[in-house]
Amino acid sequence: MRDHNADARFIAESTIEPEAIAKARAHALELGAEPVDPALGAQIALLAAASAALNIVEIGTGAGVSGLWLLHGAPRAILTTIDTEHEHLAAARHAFADAGIAPARSRFITGRAVDVLPRMNEASYDIVLIDADPENVLDYVEHGLRLVRPGGTVLVARVLAGGAVSDPVRRDAITTAYRSLIQETQASPAVIAAVSIVGDGLLQLTTVPSAD
């Protein structure tokens, strides 16, 4: 039987994080803005690169770690990132500047995503990353699927909720929402869905273009 903990340790130890992202991670931890781990960051960078992303939305800026990973994978992309915390957004701006990200490649929006997302243009983005407010995850996914272009991808970080989703005893609202989201998207003909166990889970939903 495989030792998944050993696999996770090996992947964590093998992932090399760019210096600017490692610096942003240290600052994030000081602020209490829990960043995605390096292995998950590397995976979202790969997905951004594979999709040749040019327009990305991030729900939950934190201190800029996940945004830097996305732009690391998509060096021509413009990132729109949304957060309610002024301090976190300021830290992210500083981290982007330290990493040499041109100001024109990022757009920082202070506000509640539930208020901001309805005003954004549909079918206009290559990737939407969701890493905020788990109580609103279902709404965010619905908006994300509206915002991405045909063949675009919605990513939901931490979707395994620290092991809670796989525990049948756990039936709180957030765990149930994540569990339902995984199960329903696996069965949906509108998306190609996959879950990675790296970094507390990453749900990947790529929309299926219409045959018309």
Side-chain angles (χ1 to χ4, degrees), residues 19-200:
E19 183 178 352
I21 302 181
K23 184 177 178 181
R25 173 179 304 283
H27 195 187
L29 294 172
E30 291 174 3
L31 289 175
E34 184 181 358
V36 299
D37 74 16
L40 192 146
Q43 186 159 353
I44 63 175
L46 182 146
L47 291 167
S51 63
L54 295 176
N55 293 287
I56 301 172
V57 174
E58 177 185 45
I59 304 169
T61 308
V65 173
S66 51
L68 287 174
W69 272 115
L70 287 164
L71 294 177
H72 178 69
R76 296 172 56 217
I78 295 173
L79 174 71
T80 299
T81 184
I82 306 163
D83 206 296
T84 58
E85 297 289 339
H86 293 275
E87 188 176 16
H88 293 177
L89 286 161
R93 288 178 188 274
H94 185 73
F96 279 33
D98 276 356
I101 304 295
R105 292 189 58 212
S106 57
R107 178 185 177 212
F108 296 88
I109 298 178
T110 305
R112 298 168 66 240
V114 291
D115 298 325
V116 174
L117 295 172
R119 301 197 298 268
M120 300 181 74
N121 293 330
E122 65 180 47
S124 298
Y125 299 90
D126 303 297
I127 292 176
V128 173
L129 172 65
I130 299 166
D131 185 22
D133 308 331
E135 63 273 15
N136 292 315
V137 68
L138 297 179
D139 286 341
Y140 292 161
V141 170
E142 183 177 350
H143 281 297
L145 292 172
R146 179 183 64 82
L147 294 177
V148 294
R149 60 170 172 78
T153 298
V154 175
L155 303 173
V156 185
R158 310 179 209 264
V159 75
L160 297 178
V165 168
S166 62
D167 182 354
V169 175
R170 293 288 297 271
R171 297 187 180 277
D172 58 277
I174 290 174
T175 300
T176 300
Y178 278 133
R179 192 179 290 135
S180 297
L181 176 62
I182 292 170
Q183 293 169 341
E184 290 174 12
T185 53
Q186 288 288 330
S188 172
V191 296
I192 297 171
V195 180
S196 167
I197 62 172
V198 70
D200 204 19

